[in-house]
Amino acid sequence: MDELCGIINIYKESGCTSHSAAAAVKKVVRTKTGHTGTLDPNAEGVLPVCVGRATKLFEKYSSMGKTYRAEIILGVTTDTADITGNIIKNDSADGISVTEVQKAASNFIGGYMQMPPMYSALKINGKKLYEIARSGKIAEREPRFVQIDKINVFPHEKSGRYWLEVFCGKGTYIRTLCEDIGNRLGCGACMGSLLRTEAGGFYSKDGIKLDVLQKTHENDLWKLCGSVLTIGKFECMHKGHRTLIKTVADIAKEECLTAAVITFDPHPYKFFKNKNYQMLYTKNEIMRQFFEAEIKVETINFDEAFAAKEPEEFCRRIFYEYNCRVLVVGEHFKFGKDRKGDVNFLIEYAKKAKRKIVTVPSVLTRGGAAVCSSLIRNILTETYKDGALQEAEAMLGSPFFILGTVEHGKKIGKLIGYPTINIVPPSDKFLPVYGVYATLTSIFGKKYKSITNVGIKPTVANDGQPSTETNIFGFDGDLYGCEIKIEFLLFIRHERRFESLHELSGQMQKDITTAEIFFKGYFNEN
């Protein structure tokens, strides 16, 4: 499992300490963790846990605002300031209205000097206050300024109790706030239940419980940590796609999130128009490029149900199922049923979801056209024209290639003195014009000069099945069963049928000579 990074939104249940919750997360993700703000053991709610590199964001998220829903019990004072403590005083709270509680609470809005409770994890001289309190002692404490932005008071089903909705800053003890409100009312008070509903942009309604986390497959843990995503059909990996992915990777590094891409299978064009459509790059070839870019890949099954999703439903899945914190898309991105969704729709949805949209301008050719798969495809159908392969390479960012496994052929090449390796591309792989090319063949990470024939080998075969045969310069070894990569650099000639193997051998020597001359210029050889 790759080291994870990001922030997992844990829903901490009552009875579990924040420290033990973070430790439980660490056991699952197998890397360093740290929570962004202690939540009382008996409290519930959102507990953002930083994972991996994201632990360096501790200060950023712990200092962000929090929202609580607390139960205040009027007339009851305890030694812990909550209902779990020993009752030290009971007073009547009869007749105290919502309005009076709201008025008392308003005195603390804007911030005040709050005394930390003895039963807390705050350290004095290296010792936690609750440890001192349990020994029967009281430590000297200094009040601390806490920021209270807003307090809403709501009726409770039980007499003498109310619900408080508190919007506050770092370090606020809600127990102490309840106690202080009760003292302001003259009857005393303590806190009953407590739910943290929001912390640093994370919400309790979206939180995952520890037992669910522990059952999550390790391949899906990155989704829980949060991600920077981009979405596309990705028929190839052209410069526009590369710009998107680099943007995703850069933001993910900065935000300590997982960089990921969502693509589709089958390709939407296959689904809507032509099931026999041949892709510029096969699924395996695309996945290899994603792997080399060190980016996570999630493939969505493109079927009738998915094609029928309205833009809002599409967004809901992307932002919440994949926990997308930042979505990176091209400026002309369309999505959803009948392609009704666009960038403006995404921006509006993201505002409500408190997520972020980053748009990337199209990459243009020298002629001003946007680089796209269809334009590259059109060029590759004319590879016999001067400069066509170079133009395609300029848009792809690297030479067009075929990735495949070496199979047994008829060994005709060896018979005529030019041994070749044989690859049969998948039926859905787009092939350039049938002919002979100067190519580079990658074997175990090393590149070799070569020539490659793409086509049906009319001189020696009669099955009509397209394949590639490659003669590798200066290589002698058994490659059967090995996966190799063939990059196309120069069109030499069209494929044709020869009258004899002797004639074929003579032409191969000419092709090799042409390729050698090309390679001298390509590699600036003397």
Side-chain angles (χ1 to χ4, degrees):
M1 179 175 66
D2 296 334
E3 184 181 50
L4 294 166
C5 69
I7 300 176
I8 299 182
N9 181 7
I10 294 296
Y11 185 96
K12 191 192 83 65
E13 297 180 277
S14 178
C16 172
T17 67
S18 300
H19 176 77
S20 62
V25 174
K26 182 177 182 178
K27 190 173 181 179
V28 174
V29 300
R30 289 179 276 172
T31 187
K32 57 187 175 182
T33 60
H35 63 75
T36 61
T38 302
L39 193 57
D40 286 347
N42 292 316
E44 295 193 10
V46 56
L47 180 71
V49 177
C50 297
V51 173
R53 290 186 293 104
T55 52
K56 70 181 183 180
L57 301 177
F58 171 81
E59 288 298 329
K60 172 184 175 181
Y61 281 95
S62 62
S63 63
M64 294 175 75
K66 299 173 177 64
T67 306
Y68 296 87
R69 181 177 173 83
E71 180 187 36
I72 184 172
I73 304 174
L74 301 180
V76 179
T77 303
T78 71
D79 58 356
T80 61
D82 66 12
I83 199 60
T84 66
N86 298 313
I87 297 176
I88 56 178
K89 188 178 180 183
N90 266 314
D91 283 319
S92 173
D94 294 343
I96 297 178
S97 67
V98 170
T99 302
E100 289 174 290
V101 177
Q102 183 72 70
K103 185 177 179 181
S106 66
N107 287 279
F108 303 99
I109 295 174
Y112 75 107
M113 299 302 292
Q114 185 184 73
M115 183 67 73
M118 276 301 301
Y119 283 88
S120 67
L122 186 66
K123 288 185 177 181
I124 298 291
N125 296 324
K127 200 165 186 179
K128 293 178 181 177
L129 283 177
Y130 69 76
E131 294 174 343
I132 299 173
R134 287 171 183 171
S135 69
K137 300 177 182 179
I138 296 177
E140 289 291 332
R141 293 156 288 155
E142 293 292 333
R144 302 187 304 173
F145 179 83
V146 295
Q147 179 69 38
I148 309 291
D149 297 316
K150 188 177 181 181
I151 303 175
N152 295 324
V153 182
F154 302 98
H156 195 287
E157 57 273 17
K158 293 182 180 180
S159 176
R161 302 188 182 201
Y162 294 93
W163 292 110
L164 305 180
E165 185 181 32
V166 182
F167 300 82
C168 61
K170 177 183 178 181
T172 304
Y173 287 96
I174 305 301
R175 286 180 288 139
T176 302
L177 176 63
C178 289
E179 188 176 57
D180 290 342
I181 292 172
N183 291 336
R184 188 81 185 184
L185 289 165
C187 63
C190 70
M191 186 183 74
S193 62
L194 178 65
L195 172 69
R196 185 154 68 189
T197 57
E198 188 266 340
F202 295 89
Y203 297 85
S204 59
K205 63 183 178 63
D206 304 321
I208 181 172
K209 294 182 179 179
L210 287 174
D211 60 339
V212 177
L213 173 69
Q214 290 159 352
K215 296 174 185 176
T216 302
H217 193 281
E218 68 176 20
N219 291 338
D220 292 324
L221 288 174
W222 67 269
K223 300 174 189 175
L224 301 179
C225 292
S227 61
V228 182
L229 287 179
T230 190
I231 308 171
K233 300 186 290 288
F234 294 103
E235 181 183 339
C236 64
M237 189 74 80
H238 58 59
K239 279 191 173 178
H241 295 142
R242 293 174 189 270
T243 302
L244 281 174
I245 288 172
K246 184 180 185 305
T247 304
V248 166
D250 289 346
I251 295 173
K253 183 177 181 180
E254 181 180 347
E255 299 290 335
C256 294
L257 296 169
T258 299
V261 61
I262 290 179
T263 187
F264 309 102
D265 188 30
H267 189 284
Y269 191 90
K270 280 190 170 189
F271 178 82
F272 285 116
K273 296 184 178 181
N274 179 9
K275 66 179 182 180
N276 296 317
Y277 180 71
Q278 293 180 312
M279 307 255 290
L280 285 173
Y281 288 141
T282 65
K283 182 179 178 180
N284 182 41
E285 290 168 342
I286 284 292
M287 290 300 173
R288 176 61 63 87
Q289 292 178 86
F290 286 142
F291 176 79
E292 291 171 354
E294 298 183 337
I295 190 165
K296 293 280 187 183
V297 183
E298 186 74 6
T299 302
I300 291 179
N301 180 36
F302 199 94
D303 54 16
E304 290 184 6
F306 186 82
K309 287 186 183 297
E310 294 292 340
E312 186 167 351
E313 188 179 0
F314 180 93
C315 287
R316 192 180 304 116
R317 179 171 183 182
I318 296 302
F319 285 117
Y320 294 106
E321 183 175 330
Y322 298 101
N323 195 9
C324 174
R325 313 298 297 180
V326 183
L327 179 62
V328 180
V329 294
E331 59 184 338
H332 303 301
F333 181 69
K334 299 280 187 179
F335 63 96
K337 184 181 179 182
D338 301 324
R339 293 169 56 83
K340 289 186 288 189
D342 58 13
V343 171
N344 289 330
F345 186 98
L346 280 176
I347 291 172
E348 290 304 312
Y349 189 96
K351 283 180 183 177
K352 298 174 188 175
K354 294 191 176 180
R355 307 299 169 97
K356 185 178 179 181
I357 304 297
V358 174
T359 56
V360 176
S362 299
V363 175
L364 304 180
T365 65
R366 292 179 181 176
V371 171
C372 62
S373 300
S374 58
L375 183 57
I376 295 168
R377 174 184 293 273
N378 291 340
I379 291 171
L380 287 175
T381 59
E382 299 180 335
T383 49
Y384 57 89
K385 292 186 177 179
D386 288 343
L389 277 172
Q390 288 70 31
E391 189 176 354
E393 179 179 341
M395 286 188 277
L396 285 167
S398 61
F400 175 77
F401 70 88
I402 292 175
L403 189 67
T405 302
V406 178
E407 301 182 6
H408 286 279
K410 296 185 177 181
K411 297 182 173 57
I412 300 297
K414 187 174 183 180
L415 182 65
I416 62 175
Y418 297 100
T420 59
I421 57 171
N422 186 68
I423 292 177
V424 179
S427 60
D428 64 345
K429 166 69 176 179
F430 172 88
L431 295 176
V433 174
Y434 288 177
V436 177
Y437 295 80
T439 55
L440 287 178
T441 300
S442 296
I443 305 171
F444 308 131
K446 183 178 180 180
K447 292 187 178 184
Y448 294 84
K449 301 172 187 177
S450 55
I451 59 168
T452 298
N453 182 85
V454 178
I456 57 175
K457 298 178 288 188
T459 304
V460 299
N462 56 14
D463 56 8
Q465 183 179 19
S467 66
T468 67
E469 271 197 304
T470 301
N471 173 253
I472 306 170
F473 303 173
F475 181 84
D476 182 20
D478 185 357
L479 294 175
Y480 292 123
C482 296
E483 186 177 69
I484 66 167
K485 178 180 179 181
I486 302 171
E487 296 176 293
F488 291 76
L489 304 182
L490 175 73
F491 178 85
I492 295 176
R493 63 172 175 83
H494 286 282
E495 182 181 53
R496 67 184 180 89
R497 185 179 183 279
F498 295 93
E499 295 301 322
S500 66
L501 294 180
H502 178 73
E503 186 180 359
L504 172 60
S505 175
Q507 183 60 55
M508 284 192 69
Q509 181 55 61
K510 293 178 182 178
D511 297 337
I512 290 171
T513 300
T514 301
E516 289 282 19
I517 293 171
F518 164 77
F519 284 128
K520 283 185 178 181
Y522 187 82
F523 291 108
N524 294 317
E525 296 174 346
N526 293 325

